[in-house]
Amino acid sequence: MKLSQLTNTDSSIEICGISSDSREIKSGFLFGSLNDDSYIADAIRNGAAAVIANERFCGDTGNAVLIKAANPNLEFARAAARFYGRAPRHICAVTGTNGKTSIADFIRQILTLDGLKAASMGTLGLIKGNDAPIPSPNTTPNSVAIHRELKELADEGYDYVAMEASSHGLCQYRIGAVSAEVAGFTNLTRDHLDYHKSMENYLAAKTILFTDILKKGGSAVLNADSDVFEHLRHACESTGKKVVSYGRNGKELKLSESTPLTHGQKLRLEYYGKEIEIEIPLAGEFQAMNVLCALGMCAELTGKPFDIIKYAGRIKGAKGRLELIGTTANGAAVYVDYAHTPDALENVIRALRPHTQNRLHVLFGCGGDRDAGKRPIMGRIANDLADAVYVTDDNPRTENAEEIRRQIMVSCPRGINIGNRAKAIKYAIGQLQKGDILIVAGKGHETGQYINGKIFHFSDHEEVLKNL
């Protein structure tokens, strides 16, 4: 493919590959210098025929064509989209602090149940129909991986794909060349402030999905109960997008009442102008909100709101998201959940409280090399809302694990400090009595634990099952 077909140049140089990793560059490749121009020299030594770089770059690229851009990330994303050339006809994306994984998974399930060829991309990996996940290292992969996977899906006949859009992926324009016809928003609570520095910057990153990625005339399915609803509604309407709202304050999908059931909940809704009742096999109002967002996005994608609603009762929880792993011999239940932010931890505790006949136990930790400010906040939430708390290691990464736990324990005086996560899970399960519930929070679906910069195999699922 000629460089002129990938970028805004008139160069007829043939491009045979594309990457933003200088180690992957071969002769005839286009290199995207997205974060650090010092890798341009490596890319050229490896055979790069052309380089996309920041407009401020003044270095020498030898015989390689230099393409300067005000936003090299977006320019590179567009080149990746043109290089791979195909994508499913109907793409939707969901963003927010919590709930993205569940909603993308629910959309895939609903569309598949309706007989459509649908896939999802995100934290759980690439999932085609009802197939097992193909793992991905990031919630939102890099531009090349995204467009390679979209082409693969299109080639295999998939017409629908639901994507998670992380704040990092949005502000780095990894999905900058994706044209979404429906976009969803869950909530905005504290997370990733080590990267974004402020909640204003964090919100600005999320807003990119609705101003830049969602195509004109597309539908934005927004949480009307969120503090930032009006901000997002204005951003959508001022750029020619339709707004669909859901939640207690929603218009098109209004949650009027939720009633806990033994293995789920009953929801009374005002749904696209009609009053209806549905039952979903998922606990907690936050899961009800996730289902509403997924239903709204599917309704806007298909134009069939009253056809897709019948699948709500058949939705299964996403892996590691308030997932019931099993019960002890005395009947206590153990759940695994990915909750790793203050809001998510509070939501999961409150979600399972109505289902707890005796004591509610919570086991959690906080990741290293990430927003340290949330550690005492999460400690206080667990201390105040749970009956028993076990503070353990999450992914310490390169930080001192004991110091992370100390920062949590400052506001969690009732917490039992057990650093080794496997021993903590074993101890916590040993404390369970009839009618108790244990939430093992923080790692969800993950199968590795980062300690001292190395990854060791570790699965909360496996450890729980060992001890049941």
Side-chain angles (χ1 to χ4, degrees):
M1 186 176 288
K2 289 181 170 54
L3 182 60
S4 59
Q5 295 174 281
L6 301 178
T7 61
N8 294 322
T9 67
D10 57 4
S11 173
S12 60
I13 291 176
E14 286 290 331
I15 299 296
C16 59
I18 181 169
S19 179
S20 58
D21 186 335
S22 62
R23 296 168 297 184
E24 296 177 353
I25 295 296
K26 297 176 183 177
S27 179
F29 271 45
L30 169 63
F31 174 61
S33 178
L34 307 184
N35 302 306
D36 187 346
D37 288 338
S38 66
Y39 291 106
I40 290 176
D42 292 338
I44 292 170
R45 275 194 295 271
N46 289 338
V51 173
I52 293 174
N54 191 286
E55 61 186 357
R56 294 186 298 273
F57 176 71
C58 298
D60 180 22
T61 58
N63 293 326
V65 176
L66 175 62
I67 302 142
K68 293 187 177 184
N71 187 337
N73 296 59
L74 178 58
E75 186 73 18
F76 182 73
R78 288 171 175 163
R82 292 164 184 159
F83 184 81
Y84 287 102
R86 295 194 68 199
R89 289 183 297 164
H90 306 287
I91 300 176
C92 66
V94 59
T95 195
T97 306
N98 303 308
K100 298 185 296 296
T101 299
S102 291
I103 291 166
D105 199 65
F106 294 168
I107 292 169
R108 176 189 55 78
Q109 291 183 48
I110 292 167
L111 295 176
T112 302
L113 286 166
D114 197 43
L116 302 170
K117 288 205 73 171
S120 58
M121 298 167 63
T123 306
L124 300 179
L126 173 63
I127 307 178
K128 304 174 184 178
N130 294 317
D131 292 353
I134 302 169
S136 170
N138 301 106
T139 297
T140 306
N142 65 57
S143 299
V144 173
I146 287 171
H147 290 287
R148 183 174 59 240
E149 290 179 356
L150 289 176
K151 181 184 186 301
E152 177 184 308
L153 290 171
D155 289 347
E156 294 177 11
Y158 284 86
D159 292 320
Y160 294 83
V161 61
M163 303 173 65
E164 291 182 56
S166 68
S167 57
H168 293 70
L170 285 166
C171 68
Q172 294 170 8
Y173 281 87
R174 295 181 209 159
I175 63 170
V178 171
S179 179
E181 58 183 55
V182 177
F185 173 77
T186 61
N187 46 54
L188 191 81
T189 60
R190 181 171 182 142
D191 199 16
H192 303 305
L193 293 194
D194 55 305
Y195 180 84
H196 295 292
K197 307 304 180 187
S198 71
M199 291 298 289
E200 290 76 18
N201 292 343
Y202 188 26
L203 174 58
K206 297 293 190 187
T207 305
I208 290 170
L209 176 61
F210 302 96
T211 55
D212 295 23
I213 311 302
L214 178 61
K215 66 182 183 182
K216 192 170 183 177
S219 297
V221 181
L222 307 177
N223 179 357
D225 300 344
S226 169
D227 292 342
V228 299
F229 171 72
E230 287 299 327
H231 166 86
L232 291 174
R233 182 184 65 78
H234 175 74
C236 292
E237 291 179 348
S238 64
T239 52
K241 285 79 185 250
K242 172 186 174 183
V243 171
V244 172
S245 61
Y246 70 95
R248 293 281 184 183
N249 297 304
K251 181 181 177 183
E252 288 78 10
L253 298 95
K254 180 180 177 64
L255 176 60
S256 301
E257 186 179 353
S258 61
T259 306
L261 304 173
T262 305
H263 294 293
Q265 55 189 309
K266 181 191 293 183
L267 307 179
R268 187 160 61 84
L269 309 174
E270 291 179 27
Y271 181 78
Y272 284 92
K274 291 188 178 182
E275 289 194 8
I276 61 173
E277 282 192 354
I278 60 173
E279 290 187 10
I280 59 172
L282 305 162
E285 184 159 315
F286 76 94
Q287 284 284 47
M289 293 287 281
N290 289 341
V291 169
L292 289 186
C293 185
L295 288 171
M297 293 180 72
C298 287
E300 295 301 310
L301 274 173
T302 64
K304 303 187 299 181
F306 295 99
D307 287 342
I308 59 96
I309 188 71
K310 63 189 177 186
Y311 302 115
R314 296 168 62 183
I315 291 173
K316 297 177 182 178
K319 189 168 183 62
R321 271 64 180 174
L322 207 62
E323 183 179 1
L324 176 62
I325 306 301
T327 56
T328 63
N330 60 20
V334 183
Y335 288 80
V336 164
D337 191 82
Y338 191 51
H340 59 280
T341 67
D343 180 67
L345 186 63
E346 179 173 350
N347 281 337
V348 74
I349 295 172
R350 292 192 185 280
L352 288 177
R353 176 59 75 183
H355 303 267
T356 308
Q357 297 172 355
N358 192 16
R359 285 162 53 83
L360 182 58
H361 304 241
V362 174
L363 180 150
F364 80 104
C366 290
D369 303 330
R370 299 292 187 270
D371 180 10
K374 69 183 181 182
R375 296 168 189 173
I377 300 172
M378 293 177 70
R380 183 172 63 253
I381 288 169
N383 191 78
D384 293 350
L385 299 182
D387 299 309
V389 183
Y390 313 94
V391 176
T392 188
D393 294 342
D394 189 282
N395 290 314
R397 298 184 176 89
T398 63
E399 274 197 72
N400 182 288
E402 186 177 348
E403 174 60 18
I404 294 173
R405 297 195 307 276
R406 187 198 67 77
Q407 293 174 23
I408 297 170
M409 292 291 292
V410 164
S411 56
C412 189
R414 295 195 297 109
I416 298 172
N417 187 339
I418 306 173
N420 182 290
R421 195 172 179 94
K423 290 181 179 178
I425 290 172
K426 181 176 182 178
Y427 179 83
I429 290 176
Q431 304 306 303
L432 298 178
Q433 299 177 10
K434 184 178 180 180
D436 286 1
I437 285 180
L438 168 64
I439 303 166
V440 179
K443 290 178 59 59
H445 65 285
E446 293 178 354
T447 56
Q449 189 174 26
Y450 292 66
I451 302 173
N452 293 327
K454 297 180 180 179
I455 304 175
F456 300 88
H457 178 79
F458 191 93
S459 162
D460 283 350
H461 291 73
E462 293 173 12
E463 292 302 322
V464 169
L465 290 171
K466 271 185 205 175
N467 293 285
L468 287 181

mmCIF file of all heavy atoms in Angstrom, residues 109-146:
data_model
loop_
_atom_site.group_PDB
_atom_site.id
_atom_site.type_symbol
_atom_site.label_atom_id
_atom_site.label_comp_id
_atom_site.label_asym_id
_atom_site.label_seq_id
_atom_site.Cartn_x
_atom_site.Cartn_y
_atom_site.Cartn_z
ATOM 1 N N GLN A 109 -23.585 -10.338 24.560
ATOM 2 C CA GLN A 109 -24.522 -11.415 24.883
ATOM 3 C C GLN A 109 -25.902 -11.161 24.286
ATOM 4 O O GLN A 109 -26.509 -12.057 23.681
ATOM 5 C CB GLN A 109 -24.652 -11.554 26.398
ATOM 6 C CG GLN A 109 -23.425 -12.092 27.105
ATOM 7 C CD GLN A 109 -23.675 -12.271 28.598
ATOM 8 O OE1 GLN A 109 -24.679 -12.846 29.010
ATOM 9 N NE2 GLN A 109 -22.784 -11.752 29.418
ATOM 10 N N ILE A 110 -26.421 -9.947 24.470
ATOM 11 C CA ILE A 110 -27.769 -9.623 23.991
ATOM 12 C C ILE A 110 -27.853 -9.750 22.479
ATOM 13 O O ILE A 110 -28.789 -10.364 21.935
ATOM 14 C CB ILE A 110 -28.167 -8.197 24.433
ATOM 15 C CG1 ILE A 110 -28.350 -8.133 25.954
ATOM 16 C CG2 ILE A 110 -29.450 -7.750 23.733
ATOM 17 C CD1 ILE A 110 -28.438 -6.724 26.514
ATOM 18 N N LEU A 111 -26.883 -9.188 21.769
ATOM 19 C CA LEU A 111 -26.905 -9.235 20.307
ATOM 20 C C LEU A 111 -26.758 -10.663 19.802
ATOM 21 O O LEU A 111 -27.400 -11.063 18.824
ATOM 22 C CB LEU A 111 -25.810 -8.342 19.738
ATOM 23 C CG LEU A 111 -25.952 -6.839 20.019
ATOM 24 C CD1 LEU A 111 -24.744 -6.081 19.479
ATOM 25 C CD2 LEU A 111 -27.245 -6.274 19.436
ATOM 26 N N THR A 112 -25.918 -11.451 20.485
ATOM 27 C CA THR A 112 -25.745 -12.857 20.092
ATOM 28 C C THR A 112 -27.033 -13.634 20.321
ATOM 29 O O THR A 112 -27.433 -14.464 19.483
ATOM 30 C CB THR A 112 -24.574 -13.490 20.875
ATOM 31 O OG1 THR A 112 -23.373 -12.748 20.617
ATOM 32 C CG2 THR A 112 -24.350 -14.933 20.459
ATOM 33 N N LEU A 113 -27.703 -13.392 21.449
ATOM 34 C CA LEU A 113 -28.982 -14.049 21.720
ATOM 35 C C LEU A 113 -30.026 -13.684 20.669
ATOM 36 O O LEU A 113 -30.933 -14.472 20.372
ATOM 37 C CB LEU A 113 -29.487 -13.666 23.115
ATOM 38 C CG LEU A 113 -28.757 -14.312 24.296
ATOM 39 C CD1 LEU A 113 -29.113 -13.613 25.603
ATOM 40 C CD2 LEU A 113 -29.082 -15.805 24.388
ATOM 41 N N ASP A 114 -29.899 -12.496 20.092
ATOM 42 C CA ASP A 114 -30.832 -12.054 19.056
ATOM 43 C C ASP A 114 -30.458 -12.600 17.676
ATOM 44 O O ASP A 114 -31.067 -12.229 16.670
ATOM 45 C CB ASP A 114 -30.862 -10.513 19.020
ATOM 46 C CG ASP A 114 -32.075 -9.974 18.274
ATOM 47 O OD1 ASP A 114 -33.182 -10.507 18.482
ATOM 48 O OD2 ASP A 114 -31.918 -9.020 17.488
ATOM 49 N N GLY A 115 -29.456 -13.464 17.642
ATOM 50 C CA GLY A 115 -29.082 -14.109 16.387
ATOM 51 C C GLY A 115 -28.124 -13.319 15.533
ATOM 52 O O GLY A 115 -27.895 -13.662 14.358
ATOM 53 N N LEU A 116 -27.526 -12.258 16.089
ATOM 54 C CA LEU A 116 -26.584 -11.431 15.342
ATOM 55 C C LEU A 116 -25.148 -11.855 15.623
ATOM 56 O O LEU A 116 -24.850 -12.355 16.711
ATOM 57 C CB LEU A 116 -26.776 -9.955 15.713
ATOM 58 C CG LEU A 116 -28.186 -9.394 15.482
ATOM 59 C CD1 LEU A 116 -28.324 -8.023 16.111
ATOM 60 C CD2 LEU A 116 -28.504 -9.332 13.992
ATOM 61 N N LYS A 117 -24.252 -11.639 14.673
ATOM 62 C CA LYS A 117 -22.835 -11.957 14.875
ATOM 63 C C LYS A 117 -22.190 -10.770 15.582
ATOM 64 O O LYS A 117 -21.973 -9.710 14.972
ATOM 65 C CB LYS A 117 -22.131 -12.256 13.555
ATOM 66 C CG LYS A 117 -22.530 -13.584 12.934
ATOM 67 C CD LYS A 117 -21.460 -14.137 12.018
ATOM 68 C CE LYS A 117 -20.264 -14.671 12.757
ATOM 69 N NZ LYS A 117 -19.298 -15.402 11.908
ATOM 70 N N ALA A 118 -21.906 -10.948 16.874
ATOM 71 C CA ALA A 118 -21.413 -9.838 17.692
ATOM 72 C C ALA A 118 -20.186 -10.260 18.477
ATOM 73 O O ALA A 118 -20.036 -11.417 18.868
ATOM 74 C CB ALA A 118 -22.508 -9.370 18.654
ATOM 75 N N ALA A 119 -19.309 -9.280 18.717
ATOM 76 C CA ALA A 119 -18.085 -9.507 19.489
ATOM 77 C C ALA A 119 -17.913 -8.353 20.470
ATOM 78 O O ALA A 119 -18.573 -7.318 20.371
ATOM 79 C CB ALA A 119 -16.878 -9.589 18.558
ATOM 80 N N SER A 120 -17.019 -8.555 21.443
ATOM 81 C CA SER A 120 -16.674 -7.478 22.375
ATOM 82 C C SER A 120 -15.165 -7.419 22.523
ATOM 83 O O SER A 120 -14.473 -8.430 22.416
ATOM 84 C CB SER A 120 -17.346 -7.688 23.738
ATOM 85 O OG SER A 120 -16.991 -8.928 24.306
ATOM 86 N N MET A 121 -14.651 -6.188 22.776
ATOM 87 C CA MET A 121 -13.221 -5.955 22.937
ATOM 88 C C MET A 121 -13.014 -5.145 24.211
ATOM 89 O O MET A 121 -13.690 -4.142 24.413
ATOM 90 C CB MET A 121 -12.662 -5.175 21.740
ATOM 91 C CG MET A 121 -12.784 -5.883 20.413
ATOM 92 S SD MET A 121 -12.468 -4.779 18.987
ATOM 93 C CE MET A 121 -10.761 -4.336 19.276
ATOM 94 N N GLY A 122 -12.066 -5.603 25.057
ATOM 95 C CA GLY A 122 -11.817 -4.842 26.277
ATOM 96 C C GLY A 122 -10.965 -5.584 27.273
ATOM 97 O O GLY A 122 -10.097 -6.381 26.902
ATOM 98 N N THR A 123 -11.224 -5.345 28.548
ATOM 99 C CA THR A 123 -10.415 -5.899 29.629
ATOM 100 C C THR A 123 -10.354 -7.421 29.580
ATOM 101 O O THR A 123 -9.324 -8.017 29.902
ATOM 102 C CB THR A 123 -10.968 -5.437 30.987
ATOM 103 O OG1 THR A 123 -11.063 -4.014 30.990
ATOM 104 C CG2 THR A 123 -10.060 -5.866 32.122
ATOM 105 N N LEU A 124 -11.452 -8.052 29.221
ATOM 106 C CA LEU A 124 -11.491 -9.517 29.161
ATOM 107 C C LEU A 124 -10.839 -10.056 27.898
ATOM 108 O O LEU A 124 -10.674 -11.262 27.749
ATOM 109 C CB LEU A 124 -12.938 -10.019 29.247
ATOM 110 C CG LEU A 124 -13.716 -9.647 30.511
ATOM 111 C CD1 LEU A 124 -15.134 -10.204 30.439
ATOM 112 C CD2 LEU A 124 -13.010 -10.156 31.764
ATOM 113 N N GLY A 125 -10.474 -9.158 26.970
ATOM 114 C CA GLY A 125 -9.885 -9.578 25.705
ATOM 115 C C GLY A 125 -10.893 -9.464 24.580
ATOM 116 O O GLY A 125 -11.914 -8.788 24.692
ATOM 117 N N LEU A 126 -10.613 -10.131 23.473
ATOM 118 C CA LEU A 126 -11.517 -10.173 22.325
ATOM 119 C C LEU A 126 -12.392 -11.419 22.456
ATOM 120 O O LEU A 126 -11.888 -12.538 22.548
ATOM 121 C CB LEU A 126 -10.705 -10.228 21.024
ATOM 122 C CG LEU A 126 -11.501 -10.437 19.727
ATOM 123 C CD1 LEU A 126 -12.455 -9.279 19.473
ATOM 124 C CD2 LEU A 126 -10.553 -10.625 18.544
ATOM 125 N N ILE A 127 -13.710 -11.209 22.492
ATOM 126 C CA ILE A 127 -14.651 -12.331 22.605
ATOM 127 C C ILE A 127 -15.569 -12.310 21.392
ATOM 128 O O ILE A 127 -16.259 -11.326 21.137
ATOM 129 C CB ILE A 127 -15.484 -12.263 23.896
ATOM 130 C CG1 ILE A 127 -14.583 -12.131 25.126
ATOM 131 C CG2 ILE A 127 -16.362 -13.512 24.024
ATOM 132 C CD1 ILE A 127 -15.331 -12.007 26.443
ATOM 133 N N LYS A 128 -15.565 -13.409 20.643
ATOM 134 C CA LYS A 128 -16.404 -13.535 19.454
ATOM 135 C C LYS A 128 -17.594 -14.429 19.784
ATOM 136 O O LYS A 128 -17.415 -15.606 20.118
ATOM 137 C CB LYS A 128 -15.598 -14.145 18.304
ATOM 138 C CG LYS A 128 -14.329 -13.401 17.947
ATOM 139 C CD LYS A 128 -13.530 -14.170 16.895
ATOM 140 C CE LYS A 128 -12.207 -13.490 16.579
ATOM 141 N NZ LYS A 128 -11.423 -14.277 15.594
ATOM 142 N N GLY A 129 -18.797 -13.857 19.700
ATOM 143 C CA GLY A 129 -19.992 -14.641 19.995
ATOM 144 C C GLY A 129 -19.912 -15.250 21.376
ATOM 145 O O GLY A 129 -19.722 -14.543 22.373
ATOM 146 N N ASN A 130 -20.016 -16.569 21.443
ATOM 147 C CA ASN A 130 -19.929 -17.279 22.728
ATOM 148 C C ASN A 130 -18.588 -17.982 22.912
ATOM 149 O O ASN A 130 -18.448 -18.845 23.785
ATOM 150 C CB ASN A 130 -21.068 -18.307 22.838
ATOM 151 C CG ASN A 130 -22.434 -17.641 22.917
ATOM 152 O OD1 ASN A 130 -22.610 -16.654 23.626
ATOM 153 N ND2 ASN A 130 -23.407 -18.170 22.179
ATOM 154 N N ASP A 131 -17.586 -17.592 22.104
ATOM 155 C CA ASP A 131 -16.272 -18.226 22.194
ATOM 156 C C ASP A 131 -15.532 -17.788 23.467
ATOM 157 O O ASP A 131 -15.888 -16.795 24.106
ATOM 158 C CB ASP A 131 -15.412 -17.862 20.980
ATOM 159 C CG ASP A 131 -15.944 -18.462 19.692
ATOM 160 O OD1 ASP A 131 -16.890 -19.270 19.754
ATOM 161 O OD2 ASP A 131 -15.419 -18.116 18.619
ATOM 162 N N ALA A 132 -14.479 -18.518 23.797
ATOM 163 C CA ALA A 132 -13.620 -18.143 24.923
ATOM 164 C C ALA A 132 -12.849 -16.875 24.576
ATOM 165 O O ALA A 132 -12.538 -16.623 23.398
ATOM 166 C CB ALA A 132 -12.644 -19.275 25.242
ATOM 167 N N PRO A 133 -12.517 -16.050 25.575
ATOM 168 C CA PRO A 133 -11.800 -14.799 25.301
ATOM 169 C C PRO A 133 -10.402 -15.035 24.750
ATOM 170 O O PRO A 133 -9.722 -15.986 25.125
ATOM 171 C CB PRO A 133 -11.728 -14.124 26.682
ATOM 172 C CG PRO A 133 -12.762 -14.794 27.519
ATOM 173 C CD PRO A 133 -12.862 -16.204 26.995
ATOM 174 N N ILE A 134 -9.975 -14.143 23.852
ATOM 175 C CA ILE A 134 -8.587 -14.068 23.401
ATOM 176 C C ILE A 134 -7.974 -12.915 24.181
ATOM 177 O O ILE A 134 -8.356 -11.757 23.981
ATOM 178 C CB ILE A 134 -8.505 -13.808 21.889
ATOM 179 C CG1 ILE A 134 -9.227 -14.909 21.117
ATOM 180 C CG2 ILE A 134 -7.054 -13.693 21.442
ATOM 181 C CD1 ILE A 134 -9.438 -14.599 19.640
ATOM 182 N N PRO A 135 -7.043 -13.178 25.129
ATOM 183 C CA PRO A 135 -6.579 -12.131 26.057
ATOM 184 C C PRO A 135 -5.963 -10.922 25.363
ATOM 185 O O PRO A 135 -5.392 -11.018 24.279
ATOM 186 C CB PRO A 135 -5.528 -12.862 26.903
ATOM 187 C CG PRO A 135 -5.880 -14.309 26.783
ATOM 188 C CD PRO A 135 -6.418 -14.473 25.389
ATOM 189 N N SER A 136 -6.102 -9.766 26.035
ATOM 190 C CA SER A 136 -5.500 -8.517 25.572
ATOM 191 C C SER A 136 -4.770 -7.884 26.743
ATOM 192 O O SER A 136 -5.239 -7.965 27.878
ATOM 193 C CB SER A 136 -6.581 -7.559 25.067
ATOM 194 O OG SER A 136 -6.053 -6.275 24.833
ATOM 195 N N PRO A 137 -3.607 -7.243 26.513
ATOM 196 C CA PRO A 137 -2.848 -6.660 27.625
ATOM 197 C C PRO A 137 -3.455 -5.371 28.165
ATOM 198 O O PRO A 137 -3.138 -4.942 29.264
ATOM 199 C CB PRO A 137 -1.472 -6.389 27.011
ATOM 200 C CG PRO A 137 -1.748 -6.220 25.550
ATOM 201 C CD PRO A 137 -2.888 -7.130 25.241
ATOM 202 N N ASN A 138 -4.342 -4.724 27.396
ATOM 203 C CA ASN A 138 -4.909 -3.440 27.814
ATOM 204 C C ASN A 138 -6.417 -3.427 27.631
ATOM 205 O O ASN A 138 -6.948 -4.104 26.750
ATOM 206 C CB ASN A 138 -4.316 -2.288 26.993
ATOM 207 C CG ASN A 138 -2.812 -2.195 27.117
ATOM 208 O OD1 ASN A 138 -2.093 -2.550 26.199
ATOM 209 N ND2 ASN A 138 -2.330 -1.731 28.251
ATOM 210 N N THR A 139 -7.105 -2.615 28.462
ATOM 211 C CA THR A 139 -8.539 -2.416 28.276
ATOM 212 C C THR A 139 -8.818 -1.922 26.870
ATOM 213 O O THR A 139 -9.700 -2.420 26.173
ATOM 214 C CB THR A 139 -9.072 -1.402 29.301
ATOM 215 O OG1 THR A 139 -8.902 -1.941 30.614
ATOM 216 C CG2 THR A 139 -10.548 -1.117 29.082
ATOM 217 N N THR A 140 -8.070 -0.886 26.442
ATOM 218 C CA THR A 140 -8.151 -0.391 25.074
ATOM 219 C C THR A 140 -6.792 -0.640 24.417
ATOM 220 O O THR A 140 -5.823 0.041 24.747
ATOM 221 C CB THR A 140 -8.477 1.112 25.044
ATOM 222 O OG1 THR A 140 -9.663 1.358 25.809
ATOM 223 C CG2 THR A 140 -8.692 1.579 23.614
ATOM 224 N N PRO A 141 -6.676 -1.630 23.513
ATOM 225 C CA PRO A 141 -5.382 -1.937 22.891
ATOM 226 C C PRO A 141 -4.864 -0.768 22.055
ATOM 227 O O PRO A 141 -5.550 0.241 21.865
ATOM 228 C CB PRO A 141 -5.713 -3.145 21.994
ATOM 229 C CG PRO A 141 -6.999 -3.695 22.520
ATOM 230 C CD PRO A 141 -7.752 -2.515 23.063
ATOM 231 N N ASN A 142 -3.631 -0.918 21.531
ATOM 232 C CA ASN A 142 -3.092 0.138 20.678
ATOM 233 C C ASN A 142 -3.811 0.156 19.329
ATOM 234 O O ASN A 142 -4.532 -0.783 18.980
ATOM 235 C CB ASN A 142 -1.576 -0.023 20.514
ATOM 236 C CG ASN A 142 -1.203 -1.292 19.773
ATOM 237 O OD1 ASN A 142 -1.637 -1.531 18.655
ATOM 238 N ND2 ASN A 142 -0.373 -2.120 20.401
ATOM 239 N N SER A 143 -3.609 1.233 18.576
ATOM 240 C CA SER A 143 -4.356 1.447 17.329
ATOM 241 C C SER A 143 -4.184 0.299 16.343
ATOM 242 O O SER A 143 -5.144 -0.120 15.686
ATOM 243 C CB SER A 143 -3.898 2.749 16.670
ATOM 244 O OG SER A 143 -4.141 3.846 17.501
ATOM 245 N N VAL A 144 -2.962 -0.204 16.234
ATOM 246 C CA VAL A 144 -2.704 -1.283 15.273
ATOM 247 C C VAL A 144 -3.482 -2.534 15.659
ATOM 248 O O VAL A 144 -4.142 -3.162 14.822
ATOM 249 C CB VAL A 144 -1.199 -1.576 15.183
ATOM 250 C CG1 VAL A 144 -0.935 -2.814 14.325
ATOM 251 C CG2 VAL A 144 -0.460 -0.373 14.615
ATOM 252 N N ALA A 145 -3.436 -2.900 16.944
ATOM 253 C CA ALA A 145 -4.159 -4.090 17.406
ATOM 254 C C ALA A 145 -5.661 -3.921 17.208
ATOM 255 O O ALA A 145 -6.359 -4.855 16.799
ATOM 256 C CB ALA A 145 -3.838 -4.354 18.876
ATOM 257 N N ILE A 146 -6.174 -2.734 17.515
ATOM 258 C CA ILE A 146 -7.607 -2.477 17.363
ATOM 259 C C ILE A 146 -8.044 -2.695 15.921
ATOM 260 O O ILE A 146 -9.006 -3.434 15.648
ATOM 261 C CB ILE A 146 -7.961 -1.048 17.822
ATOM 262 C CG1 ILE A 146 -7.905 -0.953 19.341
ATOM 263 C CG2 ILE A 146 -9.352 -0.641 17.312
ATOM 264 C CD1 ILE A 146 -8.039 0.466 19.871
#
